[in-house]
Amino acid sequence: MAKYLALFSLEAEAVHKFMDHETDRATVVRKLAESAGGKLDAYYFMLGKYDGALIVDLPDTITAMAFSMAIDSTGTIKHIELHEMIPSDKIHQVVEKAKQLLPKYQPLGA
């Protein structure tokens, strides 16, 4: 199972609805993740460019995209970014694969 970070910004109307009828959004997202065969690790509201972030485990990329699309399709989200998180103990595999691929790449102007 892969781990994903989702950064999101809410539509102004969604913020107003939340202020009028505060709900536990983490429970809603947790149920969505579980229905997709995954698990919600964390859900945060935050200051800055994004209104919130969540970390979720999902079975694969197709499921992750569907999870993001389902949330985005509700119209409450202004912007959502989903990033797969690679554990630090896997970076060696990434570096080794990059070393194998590098000789096959032609830089611009080569």
Side-chain angles (χ1 to χ4, degrees), residues 56-88:
V56 63
D57 294 325
L58 293 167
D60 53 52
T61 304
I62 299 298
T63 304
M65 288 182 70
F67 176 85
S68 177
M69 188 181 290
I71 292 171
D72 197 24
S73 72
T74 66
T76 60
I77 302 294
K78 183 182 343 180
H79 177 78
I80 187 167
E81 292 180 16
L82 195 63
H83 301 272
E84 185 172 357
M85 300 170 67
I86 309 300
S88 62

